Structures are given as structure tokens and as C-alpha cells.
Amino acid sequence: MFKFFAWSTIGSLVTILVQFSYSIIIARIVSPNDFGIAAIPLLIASIGRTVVDSGVGGALVREHRVTKIHYSTVLRFSIVTGIIITIILCLFSKVVSEFFNEPRMFIALFITALIITIYSVQVPFNAFLIRSLNFRLRTIILSTSAFFAAMISIYSATIIDKVIALMIYPLINALLSTIILVVFLQKIINFKLYSSIILKKYLAF
């Protein structure tokens, strides 16, 4: 049990350290105005990740006995939810950018939609890592993706638009962690499997 706690603590500390270092460096490159423009898309991305999960991830963790059909059902639901949010964001991104009179927000919101869609794939895999107490792999994935996302975002801020560079961090972070999760844990999923009964149970949870 101590080993699990240790890896969980290490993962949290490393992620915090990477994000803190990234914030200090990027603050020297990006203006407060650019931060302000990116703040809304970043907030929407954070809210979107919560909506995509919709509690089904937590319900999956607490399930007594889990098989491929449980993970696959949650994967289908989270992806569909992510796509719906993406479509809504894409439809309203132009209106929002015009309201704030900031064309760059239009692109930032599209990136936000992409982040949410990518993250939707992670839901069942994250639940599996927590259920199996595999905090070591989870720590490695989160730390690695956060580090490389920070490096790419910082470099991007020196060569492209600063608002887009800020959006690159959560995008690359989500993309890398999702790719690693799928590569290592694809065996737990069979996309052909689905159960409406399981989904209703989790949504009620």
C-alpha cells in the first residue's frame, strides 16, 4: 500500500513541478493580454473534460466486477459526449470570438474542442489504472506527457502566435497521454462491445 501511495505522491509532485516551471518560463514570453485571451478556452477545456467523464469514470472505478464490455461501453459514451461538445464549440466559436472581438479566440476554441475530443478517449483507461492501483504507470504517463507538452509549448511561444502556443500545452499533453494509454492498455477495450444497461447504471450513479 505504501508503494501505491508513494507513486501517487511522486506523480502529483512531478506534475505540479512541471506545471509550475512551465508557468514561470511561459510568463516571461507571453503577455498578460495573451493569457487573458487564452483563459476562456482553457477554462472551457477544463469544464469539458469534467462533462465528458460525467461520473461514468468514477462509477467504473467503484464497480465490483469489470470486464471489457464495461470499459468499452464507457469509451463509447465518453467519445460520443466529447464529439457532441466539440460540435457545439465549433458552432459557437465564431460567435464567441466576434463577441470578444478577438479572431485568435476562434482558433483557440477549435483547439479546445480537439482537446476535449482527445481526452474523451482517456476516460476508461484512467479508470483502469486507478482500479488496478497502477500508479507507477499513471505517474510515468502524466509526467512524460506534461514535460514534453511544456517543452513544445515554450518553444512554440518563440516562433508562433502566443495564444496558440498557450493552447498547445493542454493539446499536446492530452494527445501524448492518450496515445501512451491506448498503446499500453488497448487490450482492455473491445469497441464492438456495448451495454445500454451498464451505461444507464453508471449515469444513475
Side-chain angles (χ1 to χ4, degrees), residues 80-177:
V80 170
T81 304
I83 291 174
I84 292 173
I85 296 174
T86 296
I87 293 173
I88 293 173
L89 273 177
C90 290
L91 290 176
F92 286 94
S93 57
K94 185 176 181 181
V95 176
V96 175
S97 63
E98 289 177 350
F99 177 80
F100 288 98
N101 194 27
E102 179 51 67
R104 291 180 296 174
M105 191 174 288
F106 178 76
I107 300 175
L109 287 171
F110 264 94
I111 296 176
T112 298
L114 188 57
I115 292 169
I116 294 171
T117 301
I118 294 172
Y119 177 77
S120 68
V121 179
Q122 290 191 18
V123 176
F125 298 105
N126 285 329
F128 174 81
L129 289 178
I130 296 173
R131 279 185 58 87
S132 60
L133 299 179
N134 197 342
F135 293 111
R136 179 174 180 271
L137 179 57
R138 191 166 185 266
T139 295
I140 293 172
I141 293 173
L142 293 179
S143 302
T144 302
S145 57
F147 175 77
F148 281 104
M151 293 299 100
I152 294 172
S153 177
I154 291 170
Y155 176 72
S156 299
T158 64
I159 59 175
I160 64 174
D161 183 85
K162 303 298 188 292
V163 173
I164 306 305
L166 287 170
M167 298 304 302
I168 283 178
Y169 174 74
L171 175 62
I172 298 299
N173 197 359
L175 183 60
L176 285 179
S177 56

Side-chain angles (χ1 to χ4, degrees), residues 53-60 62-63 73-74 77 194-205:
D53 185 278
S54 299
V56 295
L60 187 55
R62 293 171 177 80
E63 180 69 77
T73 297
V74 168
F77 171 77
Y194 173 78
S195 171
S196 59
I197 296 176
I198 292 175
L199 182 58
K200 289 178 181 177
K201 176 185 175 182
Y202 286 174
L203 290 176
F205 180 87

Side-chain angles (χ1 to χ4, degrees), residues 60-68 70-71 131 202:
L60 187 55
V61 170
R62 293 171 177 80
E63 180 69 77
H64 178 65
R65 181 176 178 274
V66 176
T67 61
K68 283 187 177 182
H70 292 81
Y71 289 115
R131 279 185 58 87
Y202 286 174

